[in-house]
Amino acid sequence: MSRVSLEGQVAVVTGAARGVGELLARKLSARGAKVALVGLEPDALKQLSERLHGESAHWHADVTDHEAMTRVAAEVRERFGKVDIVVANAGVATGGPFVGSDPESWRRVIEVNLIGSAVTGRAFLPALVESRGYLLQIASLAAITAAPMMTAYCASKSGVEAYAHSLRAEVGHQGVRVGVAYLSWTDTDMVRGADQDDVMRELRQRLPWPSNKTYPLGPAVDRIVDGVERRAGHVYGQWWLRGMQGVRGYLPGIIGTVGQREMRRFADRLTGMRTGLVGAGGAADEQHRATGATQRH
């Protein structure tokens, strides 16, 4: 597949304050892209913007807020003159048994990961149609196969995968390409946050190889950048994820059987598990919502 030079391209990255988003912004900038950073941590975004190679700017916005993201899209276009690439990367996670989970945190995972991605697409698609650009939706191994103790995250990532596939068929005739990126467990604040819970960490370690490993961030993001340059329909952060597509139809039955066995093994340790959002990004999201609630009263 032919590649598009990133030199002079305008790329928007949501969830850019840390993890995949932060490193992706760095690598896009290093290849000549002008980068618009969007997220909930203005200080971190400002520091990142100041360290990038080329032209950049940052916006403090909640991806679930339609009015805010519409404003951001207009301001990004006004600032840079166009939008060529949008990476819908913002995401949060929670883990633990569904029964007894915190309803607010569970709902927030769906809101940020699925609805926030759709809000991002709705806000920026007019500019992408104009530039005949590219929208890359960050999904996950969790979109390919579900797993116990991850109901919200798996539901949200399955949802964004389906959303992106539907959108690809809708906007392709307008010159807009839509891709889906899949990542397994990658060394980010989110994964490290989930590993702080002993049960979640041990459950993951008992997964079959190669899904039981934590993979370095750099090579995964390199693959994403490569996918952006190719305007790829599918991007795989780890080499083996491509092969999972061919067997995904068999996985629900396997997971259903093996998962029951594993849950029985851990049953006496499930009470009292942390139920909020995980990692530093989750903490930033919770703080954002708490601040907003305080301001409304």
Side-chain angles (χ1 to χ4, degrees), residues 62-84:
D62 183 337
V63 294
T64 69
D65 185 332
H66 174 72
E67 289 185 7
M69 290 301 290
T70 300
R71 172 183 54 78
V72 168
E75 291 179 2
V76 170
R77 194 182 181 288
E78 181 179 354
R79 171 72 168 75
F80 295 107
K82 61 175 183 171
V83 176
D84 301 292

Side-chain angles (χ1 to χ4, degrees), residues 150 183-187 191 204 207 211 213-215 238:
M150 295 177 59
L183 289 90
S184 183
W185 305 94
T186 305
D187 188 19
V191 171
R204 186 160 71 83
L207 292 171
S211 62
K213 292 178 57 181
T214 297
Y215 292 86
Q238 287 80 29

